[in-house]
Structure formats: structure tokens, C-alpha cells
Amino acid sequence: MHVRRVVTGHDAAGKAVIVSDSAAPRAREGVHHPGFAEALLWATDATPDVPHRAGDPTPHVTNFMPGPGGTRFVIVTFPPDSVAILPDFNGAKAHEEHVKGSPGIADRMDPNNPGMHSTDTVDYIIVLDGEVWLELDDGKQVLLKSRDVVIQNGTRHAWRNKTDRGVTIAGILIGAYRK
């Protein structure tokens, strides 16, 4: 997945400047899950300070799930669900790829209900392109289209792509306390 990421900051005099303008360094495309792609664009592990002087945090992220007060900004493309039923699809290898590429998220998936998971986060989700069904615990599904927004409050859910093309979403995950 190619995503251009422009990061601003401050120079020594306190003037606003472009710190970097390049492809997101934590972007990947699925090898064992064709059509899947994601990019981790930014991360914080606590309330951030501004001006930010700590450099790019994304190469050092070991868990895509932020702790309380932390954040993650991701863009994800989900292929059609039908990809998983193709004869050459290897679910075990795809899962292994997701565990390695998205540490902290893939291991939250329910093995008895593929795709179903919950996180200790409040997520702001925006559908950028395509359409996807949001499925909740009770089996209720809601169709989301381009520019629709979901506020996910730590609920158990899955993303179901019933179309014949990929869907791309952007998500800002904010670490929370589960009570």
C-alpha cells in the first residue's frame, strides 16, 4: 500500500516546517491474503508533547493496539470476503502474516468466528473508498459506504466485505481502560 505521509514539526527557531514527506514506512500488502493492505501512519504511547521532537515513532511500534491514552493511525484495505474461499487461499499462512505484520490486532481475532474481535480502544473509523458491512455481536450488520463514519467504543465486531472489490478505511485508535 502506497500512502504519502507528510509530517510537520518545528525548526530550532520554533517555525513550522515539513519534517518528512515520503511513503509511510510501515506499509505492507498481503502476500498470503491477496488484496489486503495496511499502513501504520503514526503512533503515540501517551499524551503527546508538542512540539514533537522524538522522531518517527512508527518503526518502533511493537503492538498496533495502543495502551490507555496512546493512539494509532492506520489505513487498511480489506479484499472481498470471497478471497478467503479461493482454492489456493491458505488461512493459516494469512493469519501468520497478519500476526507478524499487525502485532496486537491479529491475536485478538476470534478463531471460532473469523474476523470478529474487540479491542480496548475507542476507534474513529472513516470509509475512504468502497463499502463494507460492520457486524456486531448480535449478528446485526450495518452497510457503510464512502465517507460514512463509525465510532467504535470497544465493541466486539467484524468487517465484512461482501462486494467484488476492496474497501479502504482509515482508523484512529485511542487506547482506553475497559471497565
Side-chain angles (χ1 to χ4, degrees):
M1 166 180 278
H2 176 78
V3 176
R4 178 182 177 200
R5 185 187 69 167
V6 177
V7 179
T8 65
H10 297 87
D11 65 14
K15 181 180 176 186
V17 297
I18 301 296
V19 174
S20 69
D21 182 349
S22 63
R26 289 288 293 267
R28 71 181 184 95
E29 294 189 13
V31 173
H32 298 290
H33 194 173
F36 178 87
E38 73 180 344
L40 174 64
L41 301 168
W42 201 252
T44 63
D45 287 322
T47 303
D49 292 326
V50 289
H52 175 81
R53 292 196 170 103
D56 185 351
T58 61
H60 312 291
V61 169
T62 59
N63 191 331
F64 275 39
M65 290 288 92
T71 66
R72 301 293 186 264
F73 180 24
V74 297
I75 295 178
V76 181
T77 298
F78 297 105
D81 288 354
S82 60
V83 166
I85 60 172
L86 295 173
D88 60 344
F89 182 78
N90 185 323
K93 284 191 176 192
H95 179 72
E96 182 180 306
E97 180 177 64
H98 287 300
V99 168
K100 182 178 178 186
S102 310
I105 293 179
D107 53 334
R108 292 180 174 265
M109 297 295 170
D110 180 344
N112 298 317
N113 191 346
M116 226 16 144
H117 64 288
S118 65
T119 60
D120 296 339
T121 58
V122 173
D123 305 338
Y124 304 152
I125 307 293
I126 305 164
V127 179
L128 299 176
D129 184 52
E131 57 185 58
V132 66
W133 291 84
L134 170 64
E135 179 180 346
L136 298 178
D137 247 350
D138 61 2
K140 174 140 174 88
Q141 295 188 12
V142 176
L143 176 61
L144 303 165
K145 297 182 179 185
S146 183
R147 294 187 306 275
D148 287 347
V149 173
V150 175
I151 310 303
Q152 187 79 287
N153 285 298
T155 54
R156 189 167 178 267
H157 67 283
W159 301 105
R160 307 293 186 201
N161 183 350
K162 301 176 185 183
T163 72
D164 60 357
R165 66 184 201 96
V167 59
T168 302
I169 64 173
I172 299 163
L173 292 68
I174 304 164
Y177 292 104
R178 184 168 295 275
K179 296 182 178 186

